[in-house]
Amino acid sequence: MGTVLVVEDDRALSEQLQGHIRALGHEVLCWTVGHRIDPDMPPNVDLVVLDLMLPERTGFQLLEDLRACSDVPVLVLSARDGSEDKVRALRLGADDYLTKPFWPEELMERVKARLRRPVLSRQHRVEVGDLAVDLERRLVWIDGEPIHLTPAEYGILAALLRRPGTAVTRRWLAANVLDPDREGSERTLDAHMSRLRRKLGKGMVETVWGVGYRLGGERVS
Amino acid sequence: MKIRARIGVVAALVTVPQLIGLSWWDSTSRHRAAENVLSSMLEVAYSQPGARDACLADPKRWAETLVPARRPPAGRPAPPPGHTEGRRPPPPPGRVGEPPELRAHGSRQAVALRTGVVDLGDRVVGRAAPVSTTLWSPEVVVALPTGWGGDCDLLTVRGTTVPGFLGSVLPATPLWVGPLLILSTVMWLAVGPPVRRLRRLTQAVRLGEHRLAMGGDDEIAELSRAFQDAATSLGEEVALREAREASLRDFVANTAHDVRIPLTVLQGYLAELESTVDRPALQHALREVHYLGALVDDLAAHARMDAAQPHRELDLADAVERVAARHRPLARRKGVDLQHALPAESVTVSGDVTLVEQALSNLVYNAIHHHRPGGNVVLTLDVEDGRFEAAVRDDGPGVDPHELHRLTERGFRGAAARGRDDRGSGLGLAIVARVAERHGWSFEIANHEGGGVLARLRGPLS
């Protein structure tokens, strides 16, 4: 598993954060003040959980330092209401933010999502549980065995892969993946989905009550 | 009616009757004076010794001996000898420098005037009296029945009221007309500058200019100073109120900020306890602490709403994902299945990300909070024809149709919320409605035909 740097000045909250992240199986480094980051030696971590209001160097300055030398994902913790702060953090290169107060589960879900998503954006080959997809060559494997998908089935799978764990609406899939002149209805989507499920195996594609589909279940978590 | 036009009309209403009245008086005076002069002339001629014989002998010459001969009009040849006065049309009266015209007539029955023939049958012999003419005619005729018979039974003299005529008696020009016209013109011109000042003041007030006071000591200057005083006092009041509101907003924002950190820690401890203690009291405590968090968010959003915030581009799909993740722990504890579905691409809109997330959070929080265990809540985001639709749907009992239209009122809580131990500020949906309004989006909440409540926010993509 990875290493997560937690930068939080509130001691009680910092300890809780460390506990939750360790519970996910990651190693944790902890800063309680904003340190200057040496561009030649960026922290060797997989994710940074960063509070914005810090003594010494603010979260914004730290983010700037970090982005000058590293593209490690950064999850900002914000207790501020100001949209400006959130927007500024995102512009400075933060990947996501979490507004206080939050539940431990919420934090853990965001940490998991952040550690998973950059892999999708940077690589042509994506692995989600038993499923492996080569996005460049449009090839799909299940448990190492290549399987053949029609263009519509591949389009549906590629759409679901962009946000694993999050459902894509039926309306969007019907309008954007299927050919609207020939088969662009939600009814034909059911037929494609049913064939895709058969090919991928049970539990890979979940139906979300009445609205869409997602890559989900135990096989991808 | 504008002041200038009103003054013009009043001036006209005052001046015109005066002009008419004075003209009548002037004309009457001229006629009377001319009549008196001509009457005297006629009576003197009548009473001269030997007048009767001289007249009967040669009426025309006798008349010319009394009054100098009438000159022919300039540029016109003199009448040929033998041309009788009776056949010549009466000369236009009022020619300057001409004498009155004295004539002897053979009959006193009638005399021809320019305005018609007047019967003189009952006039007293030897007494000169005017023959009636209209006031607007400058012609004045005086007649005297002589009782001499023959061609001298009636003497007439014809004159005019026109100034310069030998027989006229009034001043040469109507001097009184001048002052009246001058007065009217001066009034008209004098009204101009004040009206311009009034216009300028009106425009300054309408444009909300800070400097309203005008120089001078007239009523308009006083009015402008009164406006200036009122504007200054109003400005001070507004500034004071804005400062108070800003201070209150800052206080709420700072308090919300300070409360959020201990709340996060408290949630963390309670969640930790949850894994070791299985007590209903803990579940209540967890729900309360989540409610506290939602309340703090609502208060902060409410305070934020009043301060103008710039809109920026934001990814609504990310916002929906954050809101779903935020409420999943609450849903799990309540036994409600919360799911969300998005387009597979970014959904960029222009807005205030904090307010947008708060609006979506309130919809999801309401759906979970008023639901039964085992229920479903779905948050979806869809895009079609350049517009997005963010919808929250549940399969709960729905809302009393009579209460639907009041749900977005600030402080209103439906019967379902009041009846149970659920608590709420009544701010939630009011905030959603205001956020939608501020962003120019539509917000609808209704019972879904398939059961439950469907709340939808719709607006354009940026």
Side-chain angles (χ1 to χ4, degrees):
Chain A
M1 300 304 273
T3 306
V4 179
L5 170 62
V6 173
V7 189
E8 168 63 62
D9 62 324
D10 188 280
R11 211 164 280 279
L13 185 56
S14 173
E15 281 172 13
Q16 280 186 357
L17 293 173
Q18 293 175 50
H20 300 319
I21 295 169
R22 282 200 189 94
L24 288 174
H26 302 296
E27 283 185 26
V28 180
L29 290 175
C30 171
W31 292 358
T32 51
V33 294
H35 293 298
R36 184 176 288 281
I37 292 172
D38 182 352
D40 297 327
M41 286 184 63
N44 185 21
V45 292
D46 300 293
L47 174 71
V48 177
V49 176
L50 176 67
D51 186 24
L52 286 178
M53 296 188 67
L54 293 169
E56 297 187 18
R57 284 179 79 70
T58 67
F60 293 116
Q61 289 171 315
L62 211 139
L63 194 53
E64 265 179 318
D65 290 354
L66 200 58
R67 278 292 168 256
C69 58
S70 166
D71 58 357
V72 61
V74 175
L75 172 61
V76 163
L77 300 182
S78 165
R80 295 188 174 190
D81 282 313
S83 301
E84 297 74 26
D85 287 344
K86 294 167 186 167
V87 171
R88 187 177 165 202
L90 291 177
R91 284 194 175 162
L92 285 175
D95 296 83
D96 200 359
Y97 60 82
L98 197 59
T99 308
K100 296 171 187 173
F102 49 82
W103 290 99
E105 296 103 300
E106 190 185 349
L107 169 79
M108 288 151 89
E109 196 175 314
R110 310 304 287 165
V111 167
K112 276 199 284 187
R114 277 302 132 199
L115 283 172
R116 198 168 46 201
R117 193 168 297 174
V119 177
L120 287 177
S121 59
R122 284 181 216 149
Q123 296 181 356
H124 299 306
R125 187 183 164 91
V126 180
E127 292 186 12
V128 182
D130 304 335
L131 175 74
V133 181
D134 186 326
L135 294 168
E136 204 168 50
R137 293 191 293 161
R138 299 166 75 94
L139 296 174
V140 182
W141 296 267
I142 290 284
D143 281 336
E145 290 293 316
I147 57 168
H148 174 74
L149 298 182
T150 64
E153 290 160 4
Y154 178 80
I156 294 169
L157 179 62
L160 299 184
L161 265 173
R162 288 193 207 165
R163 291 179 192 254
T166 297
V168 179
T169 61
R170 288 166 56 81
R171 201 193 291 182
W172 191 89
L173 286 172
N176 293 276
V177 175
L178 304 183
D179 181 349
D181 294 333
R182 295 199 301 127
E183 48 187 2
S185 74
E186 294 190 24
R187 192 177 290 268
T188 50
L189 180 66
D190 290 339
H192 289 294
M193 191 58 80
S194 146
R195 281 198 296 275
L196 178 64
R197 277 185 162 140
R198 228 177 9 251
K199 289 178 182 177
L200 295 181
K202 200 179 167 193
M204 186 61 76
V205 178
E206 276 187 349
T207 301
V208 175
W209 179 69
V211 291
Y213 303 96
R214 71 173 174 202
L215 279 182
E218 292 171 4
R219 290 179 62 189
V220 297
S221 61
Chain B
M1 194 189 279
K2 305 242 169 167
I3 289 182
R4 201 165 182 173
R6 186 184 290 262
I7 287 174
V9 168
V10 170
L13 286 176
V14 170
T15 312
V16 169
Q18 280 189 28
L19 274 175
I20 293 172
L22 285 169
S23 297
W24 177 83
W25 176 80
D26 175 64
S27 186
T28 310
S29 303
R30 282 166 186 263
H31 272 84
R32 295 285 168 270
E35 283 163 8
N36 287 341
V37 169
L38 294 175
S39 294
S40 302
M41 182 187 285
L42 212 51
E43 281 171 2
V44 166
Y46 172 71
S47 56
Q48 275 183 351
R52 179 173 181 272
D53 296 337
C55 179
L56 287 173
D58 189 350
K60 192 166 179 256
R61 184 158 300 173
W62 176 75
E64 284 175 356
T65 58
L66 294 175
V67 179
R70 296 169 71 86
R71 288 192 301 274
R76 214 185 267 182
H83 178 88
T84 58
E85 195 70 21
R87 277 177 292 170
R88 202 175 65 182
R95 217 173 257 129
V96 174
E98 290 198 354
E101 178 192 357
L102 181 69
R103 286 180 65 190
H105 303 265
S107 164
R108 63 160 127 157
Q109 291 306 309
V111 61
L113 297 179
R114 289 174 69 80
T115 50
V117 176
V118 177
D119 184 13
L120 299 170
D122 53 352
R123 296 289 178 107
V124 178
V125 171
R127 180 173 295 176
V131 177
S132 63
T133 52
T134 51
L135 276 178
W136 57 85
S137 166
E139 183 181 36
V140 179
V141 178
V142 174
L144 187 146
T146 56
W148 294 339
D151 286 337
C152 293
D153 203 31
L154 178 71
L155 296 179
T156 63
V157 64
R158 191 185 298 264
T160 176
T161 59
V162 174
F165 184 74
L166 193 63
S168 69
V169 290
L170 282 178
T173 43
L175 290 176
W176 43 268
V177 176
L180 263 182
L181 289 177
I182 290 168
L183 180 69
S184 298
T185 312
V186 166
M187 264 175 79
W188 181 253
L189 292 177
V191 164
V195 168
R196 271 198 296 279
R197 278 155 62 79
L198 260 181
R199 273 201 199 132
R200 214 164 48 233
L201 180 62
T202 310
Q203 200 173 15
V205 170
R206 191 170 287 150
L207 293 176
E209 285 177 11
H210 294 294
R211 188 173 159 71
L212 296 174
M214 291 176 152
D217 56 357
D218 61 352
E219 288 84 350
I220 294 170
E222 276 176 31
L223 181 66
S224 73
R225 284 194 285 273
F227 272 132
Q228 178 76 66
D229 291 347
T232 307
S233 126
L234 201 63
E236 284 168 358
E237 181 71 22
V238 168
L240 189 68
R241 193 162 290 187
E242 278 176 357
R244 272 193 207 139
E245 282 176 5
S247 147
L248 188 64
R249 274 199 302 273
D250 287 349
F251 172 75
V252 173
N254 291 337
T255 309
H257 171 258
D258 292 346
V259 169
R260 279 180 170 132
I261 296 172
L263 262 182
T264 313
V265 175
L266 186 61
Q267 281 186 201
Y269 285 137
L270 288 174
E272 217 174 293
L273 274 177
E274 199 185 13
S275 58
T276 54
V277 181
D278 183 18
R279 294 278 296 277
L282 184 61
Q283 289 306 317
H284 284 303
L286 284 163
R287 277 206 292 275
E288 289 296 319
V289 84
H290 194 101
Y291 167 65
L292 263 179
L295 190 59
V296 167
D297 287 344
D298 270 350
L299 286 175
H302 204 67
R304 182 179 177 76
M305 201 92 69
D306 294 328
Q309 304 289 338
H311 285 189
R312 296 178 195 280
E313 290 203 335
L314 64 106
D315 186 351
L316 206 52
D318 281 347
V320 165
E321 205 168 5
R322 276 193 289 271
V323 169
R326 187 173 189 76
H327 289 84
R328 201 154 279 129
L330 175 74
R332 188 176 61 74
R333 290 185 174 84
K334 182 99 185 182
V336 172
D337 184 35
L338 169 64
Q339 298 291 351
H340 69 287
L342 306 169
E345 62 198 359
S346 299
V347 179
T348 309
V349 299
S350 172
D352 180 321
V353 70
T354 302
L355 292 181
V356 171
E357 283 189 23
Q358 189 59 33
L360 292 169
S361 283
N362 287 0
L363 293 177
V364 175
Y365 180 84
N366 270 6
I368 298 170
H369 199 58
H370 300 303
H371 215 329
R372 60 176 189 280
N376 292 286
V377 174
V378 183
L379 168 60
T380 57
L381 178 64
D382 254 311
V383 174
E384 202 169 342
D385 299 332
R387 293 179 69 79
F388 75 86
E389 176 183 297
V392 177
R393 192 188 152 189
D394 64 55
D395 58 354
V399 180
D400 181 347
H402 300 296
E403 291 181 344
L404 268 176
H405 70 284
R406 294 197 59 201
L407 286 180
T408 53
E409 288 176 17
R410 193 160 72 177
F412 178 78
R413 298 177 63 229
R418 290 193 304 267
R420 284 185 264 149
D421 63 343
D422 294 342
R423 285 200 275 117
S425 60
L427 283 176
L429 290 179
I431 286 175
V432 181
R434 282 194 66 194
V435 170
E437 188 188 326
R438 276 192 58 147
H439 286 77
W441 300 345
S442 70
F443 171 52
E444 293 163 21
I445 184 160
N447 286 321
H448 192 263
E449 54 192 23
V453 176
L454 173 64
R456 290 187 289 191
L457 277 170
R458 284 184 279 200
L461 300 177
S462 65

Coordinates of all heavy atoms in Angstrom, one line a residue, chain B residues 385-438:
Chain B
D385 N -28.8 18.9 -24.2 CA -29.0 20.2 -24.9 C -28.4 21.4 -24.2 O -29.0 22.4 -24.1 CB -30.5 20.4 -25.2 CG -31.1 19.3 -26.0 OD1 -30.3 18.6 -26.8 OD2 -32.3 19.0 -25.8
G386 N -27.2 21.3 -23.7 CA -26.5 22.4 -23.1 C -27.0 22.8 -21.8 O -26.7 23.9 -21.3
R387 N -27.8 21.9 -21.2 CA -28.3 22.2 -19.8 C -28.1 21.0 -18.9 O -28.0 19.9 -19.4 CB -29.8 22.5 -19.9 CG -30.1 23.8 -20.6 CD -31.6 24.1 -20.6 NE -32.2 24.4 -19.3 CZ -32.1 25.6 -18.8 NH1 -31.5 26.6 -19.4 NH2 -32.7 25.8 -17.6
F388 N -27.9 21.3 -17.6 CA -27.8 20.2 -16.7 C -29.0 20.0 -15.8 O -29.9 21.0 -15.7 CB -26.6 20.5 -15.7 CG -26.9 21.5 -14.7 CD1 -27.5 21.1 -13.5 CD2 -26.6 22.8 -14.9 CE1 -27.8 22.1 -12.5 CE2 -26.9 23.8 -13.9 CZ -27.5 23.4 -12.8
E389 N -29.2 18.8 -15.3 CA -30.3 18.6 -14.3 C -29.7 17.8 -13.2 O -29.2 16.7 -13.4 CB -31.4 17.9 -15.0 CG -32.5 17.5 -13.9 CD -33.7 16.7 -14.5 OE1 -34.4 17.2 -15.4 OE2 -33.8 15.6 -14.1
A390 N -29.7 18.4 -12.0 CA -29.2 17.7 -10.8 C -30.5 17.3 -10.0 O -31.3 18.2 -9.7 CB -28.3 18.6 -9.9
A391 N -30.7 16.0 -9.8 CA -32.0 15.6 -9.2 C -31.7 14.7 -8.0 O -30.8 13.9 -8.0 CB -32.8 14.9 -10.2
V392 N -32.5 14.9 -6.9 CA -32.5 14.0 -5.8 C -33.9 13.4 -5.7 O -34.9 14.1 -5.6 CB -32.2 14.8 -4.5 CG1 -32.2 13.9 -3.3 CG2 -30.8 15.5 -4.6
R393 N -33.9 12.0 -5.7 CA -35.2 11.3 -5.6 C -35.1 10.3 -4.5 O -34.1 9.6 -4.3 CB -35.4 10.7 -7.0 CG -36.8 10.2 -7.1 CD -37.0 9.4 -8.4 NE -38.1 8.4 -8.1 CZ -38.5 7.4 -8.9 NH1 -37.8 7.2 -10.0 NH2 -39.4 6.6 -8.6
D394 N -36.2 10.2 -3.8 CA -36.3 9.1 -2.8 C -37.6 8.3 -3.0 O -38.4 8.7 -3.9 CB -36.2 9.7 -1.4 CG -37.4 10.6 -1.1 OD1 -38.6 10.1 -1.2 OD2 -37.2 11.8 -0.7
D395 N -37.7 7.2 -2.4 CA -38.9 6.4 -2.5 C -39.6 6.3 -1.1 O -40.2 5.3 -0.7 CB -38.5 4.9 -3.0 CG -37.6 4.2 -2.1 OD1 -37.1 4.9 -1.1 OD2 -37.3 3.0 -2.3
G396 N -39.5 7.5 -0.5 CA -40.2 7.6 0.8 C -41.7 7.9 0.7 O -42.3 7.8 -0.4
P397 N -42.3 8.4 1.8 CA -43.8 8.6 1.8 C -44.2 9.9 1.0 O -45.4 10.1 0.8 CB -44.1 8.8 3.3 CG -42.8 9.3 3.9 CD -41.7 8.7 3.1
G398 N -43.3 10.7 0.6 CA -43.6 11.9 -0.1 C -44.1 13.0 0.8 O -44.0 12.9 2.1
V399 N -44.5 14.1 0.3 CA -44.9 15.3 1.1 C -46.3 15.6 0.9 O -46.9 15.4 -0.2 CB -44.0 16.5 0.6 CG1 -44.4 17.8 1.4 CG2 -42.6 16.3 0.7
D400 N -47.0 16.1 1.9 CA -48.4 16.5 1.8 C -48.5 17.5 0.7 O -47.8 18.6 0.8 CB -48.8 17.1 3.2 CG -50.3 17.5 3.2 OD1 -50.9 17.6 2.1 OD2 -50.8 17.8 4.3
P401 N -49.4 17.3 -0.3 CA -49.4 18.2 -1.4 C -49.8 19.6 -1.0 O -49.4 20.6 -1.7 CB -50.6 17.6 -2.3 CG -50.7 16.2 -1.9 CD -50.2 16.1 -0.5
H402 N -50.5 19.8 0.1 CA -50.8 21.1 0.6 C -49.6 21.9 1.1 O -49.6 23.1 1.2 CB -51.9 21.1 1.7 CG -53.2 20.4 1.2 ND1 -54.0 20.9 0.2 CD2 -53.7 19.2 1.6 CE1 -55.0 20.1 0.0 NE2 -54.9 19.1 0.8
E403 N -48.6 21.1 1.4 CA -47.4 21.8 2.0 C -46.3 22.0 1.0 O -45.4 22.8 1.2 CB -46.8 20.9 3.1 CG -47.7 20.8 4.4 CD -47.0 20.0 5.4 OE1 -46.1 19.2 5.1 OE2 -47.5 20.1 6.6
L404 N -46.5 21.4 -0.2 CA -45.4 21.5 -1.2 C -45.0 22.9 -1.5 O -43.8 23.2 -1.6 CB -45.8 20.8 -2.5 CG -45.5 19.3 -2.7 CD1 -46.1 18.8 -3.9 CD2 -44.0 19.1 -2.6
H405 N -46.0 23.8 -1.8 CA -45.6 25.2 -2.2 C -45.0 26.0 -1.1 O -44.4 27.1 -1.3 CB -46.8 25.9 -2.7 CG -47.9 26.2 -1.7 ND1 -48.7 25.3 -1.1 CD2 -48.1 27.4 -1.1 CE1 -49.5 25.8 -0.2 NE2 -49.1 27.1 -0.2
R406 N -45.1 25.5 0.2 CA -44.5 26.3 1.3 C -43.1 25.8 1.7 O -42.5 26.4 2.6 CB -45.5 26.2 2.5 CG -46.8 26.9 2.3 CD -47.5 27.2 3.6 NE -46.7 28.0 4.4 CZ -46.9 28.1 5.7 NH1 -47.8 27.4 6.3 NH2 -46.1 28.9 6.5
L407 N -42.7 24.7 1.1 CA -41.5 24.1 1.5 C -40.2 25.0 1.4 O -39.3 24.8 2.2 CB -41.2 22.8 0.7 CG -42.1 21.6 1.1 CD1 -41.7 20.4 0.2 CD2 -41.9 21.2 2.6
T408 N -40.3 25.9 0.4 CA -39.1 26.7 0.3 C -39.2 28.0 1.1 O -38.3 28.9 0.9 CB -38.9 27.1 -1.2 OG1 -40.2 27.6 -1.7 CG2 -38.6 25.9 -2.1
E409 N -40.2 28.2 1.9 CA -40.3 29.3 2.8 C -39.3 29.2 3.9 O -39.2 28.1 4.5 CB -41.7 29.5 3.4 CG -42.7 29.9 2.4 CD -44.1 29.9 3.1 OE1 -44.2 29.9 4.3 OE2 -45.1 29.9 2.3
R410 N -38.6 30.3 4.3 CA -37.6 30.2 5.3 C -38.4 30.0 6.7 O -39.3 30.6 7.0 CB -36.9 31.5 5.4 CG -35.7 31.4 6.3 CD -34.7 32.5 6.0 NE -35.2 33.8 6.5 CZ -34.5 34.9 6.4 NH1 -33.3 34.9 5.8 NH2 -35.0 36.0 6.9
G411 N -37.9 29.0 7.4 CA -38.5 28.7 8.7 C -39.7 27.7 8.6 O -40.1 27.3 9.7
F412 N -40.1 27.4 7.4 CA -41.3 26.4 7.3 C -40.8 25.0 7.5 O -39.8 24.6 6.9 CB -42.0 26.6 6.0 CG -43.2 25.6 5.9 CD1 -44.4 25.9 6.5 CD2 -43.0 24.5 5.1 CE1 -45.4 25.0 6.4 CE2 -44.1 23.6 5.0 CZ -45.3 23.8 5.7
R413 N -41.5 24.2 8.3 CA -41.2 22.8 8.4 C -42.4 22.0 8.2 O -43.5 22.3 8.8 CB -40.6 22.5 9.8 CG -39.3 23.3 10.0 CD -38.7 23.1 11.4 NE -38.4 21.7 11.6 CZ -38.8 21.0 12.7 NH1 -39.5 21.5 13.6 NH2 -38.5 19.7 12.8
G414 N -42.4 21.0 7.4 CA -43.6 20.2 7.1 C -44.0 19.4 8.3 O -43.3 19.2 9.3
A415 N -45.2 18.9 8.2 CA -45.8 18.1 9.3 C -44.9 16.9 9.6 O -44.8 16.5 10.8 CB -47.2 17.7 8.9
A416 N -44.4 16.3 8.5 CA -43.6 15.1 8.8 C -42.3 15.4 9.6 O -42.0 14.7 10.5 CB -43.1 14.5 7.4
A417 N -41.8 16.6 9.4 CA -40.6 17.0 10.1 C -41.0 17.4 11.5 O -40.2 17.2 12.5 CB -39.9 18.2 9.4
R418 N -42.2 18.0 11.7 CA -42.6 18.5 13.0 C -43.0 17.3 13.9 O -42.8 17.3 15.1 CB -43.7 19.5 12.9 CG -43.4 20.8 12.3 CD -44.5 21.8 12.5 NE -45.7 21.3 11.9 CZ -46.1 21.6 10.7 NH1 -45.4 22.4 9.9 NH2 -47.3 21.2 10.3
G419 N -43.6 16.3 13.3 CA -44.3 15.3 14.1 C -43.3 14.3 14.8 O -43.6 13.8 15.8
R420 N -42.2 14.1 14.2 CA -41.3 13.1 14.7 C -40.2 13.8 15.6 O -40.2 15.0 15.8 CB -40.6 12.3 13.6 CG -41.6 11.3 13.0 CD -40.9 10.5 12.0 NE -41.1 11.0 10.7 CZ -40.3 10.9 9.7 NH1 -39.1 10.3 9.8 NH2 -40.6 11.4 8.5
D421 N -39.3 13.0 16.1 CA -38.2 13.7 16.9 C -37.2 14.3 16.0 O -36.2 14.8 16.5 CB -37.5 12.6 17.8 CG -36.8 11.5 17.0 OD1 -37.1 11.4 15.8 OD2 -36.0 10.8 17.6
D422 N -37.4 14.3 14.7 CA -36.5 15.0 13.8 C -36.5 16.5 14.1 O -37.5 17.1 14.4 CB -37.0 14.8 12.3 CG -37.0 13.4 11.9 OD1 -36.3 12.6 12.5 OD2 -37.7 13.1 10.9
R423 N -35.3 17.0 13.9 CA -35.2 18.5 14.1 C -34.7 19.1 12.9 O -34.0 18.5 12.1 CB -34.3 18.8 15.3 CG -35.1 18.5 16.6 CD -34.5 19.2 17.8 NE -33.4 18.4 18.3 CZ -32.1 18.9 18.3 NH1 -31.8 20.0 17.8 NH2 -31.2 18.2 18.9
G424 N -35.1 20.3 12.7 CA -34.6 21.0 11.5 C -34.7 22.5 11.7 O -35.5 23.0 12.5
S425 N -33.9 23.2 10.9 CA -33.9 24.7 11.1 C -34.9 25.3 10.2 O -35.3 26.5 10.4 CB -32.5 25.2 10.7 OG -32.2 24.9 9.4
G426 N -35.4 24.6 9.2 CA -36.4 25.2 8.3 C -35.7 26.0 7.3 O -36.3 26.8 6.5
L427 N -34.3 26.0 7.3 CA -33.5 26.9 6.4 C -33.2 26.1 5.1 O -33.0 26.7 4.1 CB -32.2 27.3 7.0 CG -32.2 28.4 8.1 CD1 -30.8 28.5 8.7 CD2 -32.6 29.7 7.4
G428 N -33.1 24.8 5.2 CA -32.6 23.9 4.1 C -33.1 24.2 2.8 O -32.3 24.6 1.9
L429 N -34.4 24.0 2.5 CA -35.0 24.2 1.2 C -35.0 25.7 0.8 O -34.9 26.0 -0.4 CB -36.3 23.6 1.1 CG -36.3 22.0 1.1 CD1 -37.7 21.5 1.1 CD2 -35.4 21.4 0.0
A430 N -35.2 26.6 1.8 CA -35.1 28.0 1.5 C -33.8 28.4 0.9 O -33.7 29.2 0.0 CB -35.4 28.8 2.7
I431 N -32.7 27.8 1.4 CA -31.4 28.0 0.9 C -31.3 27.5 -0.5 O -30.7 28.1 -1.4 CB -30.3 27.4 1.9 CG1 -30.2 28.3 3.1 CG2 -29.0 27.3 1.2 CD1 -29.3 27.8 4.2
V432 N -31.8 26.3 -0.7 CA -31.7 25.7 -2.1 C -32.4 26.7 -3.1 O -31.9 27.0 -4.1 CB -32.4 24.3 -2.1 CG1 -32.3 23.8 -3.5 CG2 -31.8 23.4 -1.1
A433 N -33.6 27.2 -2.7 CA -34.3 28.1 -3.6 C -33.5 29.3 -3.8 O -33.5 29.8 -5.0 CB -35.7 28.4 -3.0
R434 N -32.9 29.9 -2.8 CA -32.2 31.1 -3.0 C -30.9 30.9 -3.8 O -30.5 31.8 -4.6 CB -31.8 31.7 -1.6 CG -33.0 32.4 -1.0 CD -32.6 33.3 0.2 NE -31.8 34.4 -0.3 CZ -31.1 35.2 0.6 NH1 -31.1 34.9 1.9 NH2 -30.3 36.2 0.1
V435 N -30.3 29.8 -3.6 CA -29.1 29.5 -4.4 C -29.4 29.4 -5.9 O -28.8 29.9 -6.7 CB -28.4 28.2 -3.9 CG1 -27.3 27.7 -4.9 CG2 -27.8 28.3 -2.5
A436 N -30.6 28.7 -6.1 CA -31.0 28.5 -7.5 C -31.3 29.9 -8.1 O -30.9 30.2 -9.2 CB -32.3 27.7 -7.6
E437 N -32.0 30.7 -7.3 CA -32.3 32.1 -7.8 C -31.1 32.9 -8.1 O -31.0 33.6 -9.2 CB -33.2 32.8 -6.7 CG -33.8 34.1 -7.2 CD -34.4 34.8 -6.0 OE1 -34.9 34.1 -5.1 OE2 -34.3 36.0 -6.0
R438 N -30.1 32.8 -7.2 CA -28.8 33.6 -7.4 C -28.1 33.1 -8.6 O -27.3 33.9 -9.2 CB -27.9 33.5 -6.2 CG -28.3 34.4 -5.1 CD -27.3 34.5 -4.1 NE -26.0 34.8 -4.7 CZ -25.1 35.5 -4.0 NH1 -25.3 35.9 -2.8 NH2 -23.9 35.8 -4.6

